[in-house]
Amino acid sequence: MGVWEVYRYMLLCVLILLLGLVSGYLLCYIQLQPEIGRLSSLLEAMSEELVSIEEARLELIDRLSKLEETLDLVSGEYLKLRESVDTTVKLIPDRSYFEEAYRLIADARNSVYLVMYLAEYNPTGRDNPANLLVDMLIAAHLRGVDVRILFDEGIAVSYPETIARLKSYGVRVRLDGDKNATIHTKLLVVDRFYILAGSHDWIEDSLNRNYEYSIMLASHRYGSEAAYYAEDMWSKGYDI
């Protein structure tokens, strides 16, 4: 067998092999065509499903955002409701002030802050309700309650006996040092919870004869705010 015959024989074998491969590929393609079609349909369905999932995800994010907004509104309303439930308001007209102030100071456990324009102590006035309030402050101090009192400077001239009475028992008393303003406040804060404020001064006319009006609030929030105000005023006063 010559070289060309060998070459032709090998070329024929290669062609037969290629023809077999192509035929096999075509046969496989024909046989797999239904599966390829089903796979294509499956991929298309999966693509549509992914689109639906993405739309659902975006919708869920939108709903969560709206839910958070609703939750914020509900939380705000809850806080308002809790504050309203937490706060008790009592109207204190005229002569009822003395009884309320006396009771609050007598029941004080931790602190009594008084910021007062006028406070009278009359050693000869046995029935003077202002005397009883001053002595109740002393009693609270003696049982360990934090008693702080801030008066307007004018009281040192108008009612020096009041200051002398309180100081003789070690009660902390300060006068306002602001030369450009007058303390006209009538504020009693007990245990950072009870607030008694209004028009009543601690003098006999105000407690026994005048028409006066005050309000008592029982509230953690407002009691703390009022206590902070009293402490701030106290920090600006000076010891006597």
Side-chain angles (χ1 to χ4, degrees):
M1 181 180 295
V3 175
W4 285 106
E5 291 179 352
V6 173
Y7 177 75
R8 288 170 59 191
Y9 178 76
M10 292 178 63
L11 182 59
L12 180 61
C13 290
V14 171
L15 290 174
I16 293 172
L17 179 60
L18 290 174
L19 181 61
L21 290 174
V22 172
S23 299
Y25 172 78
L26 291 175
L27 181 61
C28 289
Y29 178 78
I30 293 172
Q31 291 178 343
L32 293 176
Q33 184 64 31
E35 296 297 328
I36 293 174
R38 285 193 290 271
L39 181 60
S40 178
S41 299
L42 179 61
L43 290 174
E44 184 177 352
M46 290 178 63
S47 178
E48 293 176 355
E49 187 68 22
L50 287 174
V51 171
S52 299
I53 291 174
E54 178 64 15
E55 291 176 351
R57 186 184 71 85
L58 294 176
E59 183 179 357
L60 180 60
I61 291 175
D62 183 62
R63 289 184 178 182
L64 286 174
S65 177
K66 292 179 180 179
L67 182 60
E68 288 177 353
E69 293 176 0
T70 303
L71 183 60
D72 289 339
L73 291 175
V74 171
S75 297
E77 292 301 319
Y78 168 74
L79 290 176
K80 292 179 182 178
L81 178 61
R82 190 178 70 176
E83 289 173 1
S84 65
V85 172
D86 176 57
T87 302
T88 300
V89 179
K90 183 177 180 181
L91 305 180
I92 312 294
D94 303 326
R95 259 56 72 196
S96 59
Y97 178 94
F98 166 75
E99 181 180 347
E100 193 69 26
Y102 190 90
R103 179 187 64 82
L104 289 176
I105 300 171
D107 293 341
R109 297 181 179 181
N110 300 306
S111 61
V112 174
Y113 299 155
L114 178 69
V115 182
M116 186 59 60
Y117 176 53
L118 297 176
E120 174 185 17
Y121 185 83
N122 184 355
T124 62
R126 297 180 57 185
D127 298 327
N128 187 342
N131 286 6
L132 298 177
L133 291 179
V134 170
D135 284 342
M136 184 51 65
L137 289 174
I138 294 171
H141 166 72
L142 293 178
R143 68 173 185 269
V145 175
D146 177 20
V147 178
R148 304 185 197 182
I149 302 171
L150 180 68
F151 292 133
D152 185 72
E153 276 190 319
I155 199 174
V157 177
S158 302
Y159 300 104
E161 298 86 355
T162 305
I163 296 175
R165 177 73 172 176
L166 292 166
K167 295 288 289 183
S168 67
Y169 285 91
V171 179
R172 292 188 293 174
V173 180
R174 287 185 176 183
L175 298 181
D176 177 47
D178 190 344
K179 303 299 182 181
N180 298 315
T182 297
I183 285 187
H184 204 252
T185 310
K186 295 89 183 278
L187 174 66
L188 175 68
V189 185
V190 176
D191 291 337
R192 311 183 75 86
F193 183 73
Y194 297 101
I195 305 169
L196 187 56
S199 67
H200 290 83
D201 283 299
W202 281 21
I203 59 175
E204 187 173 12
D205 284 345
S206 181
L207 298 173
N208 268 349
R209 285 182 285 276
N210 294 348
Y211 292 109
E212 308 278 1
Y213 213 93
S214 295
I215 295 177
M216 191 280 289
L217 282 80
S219 167
H220 288 290
R221 173 186 173 183
Y222 298 117
S224 294
E225 290 182 7
Y228 176 80
Y229 172 84
E231 289 170 339
D232 182 60
M233 294 291 291
W234 165 269
S235 68
K236 297 174 183 176
Y238 63 91
D239 293 317
I240 54 174

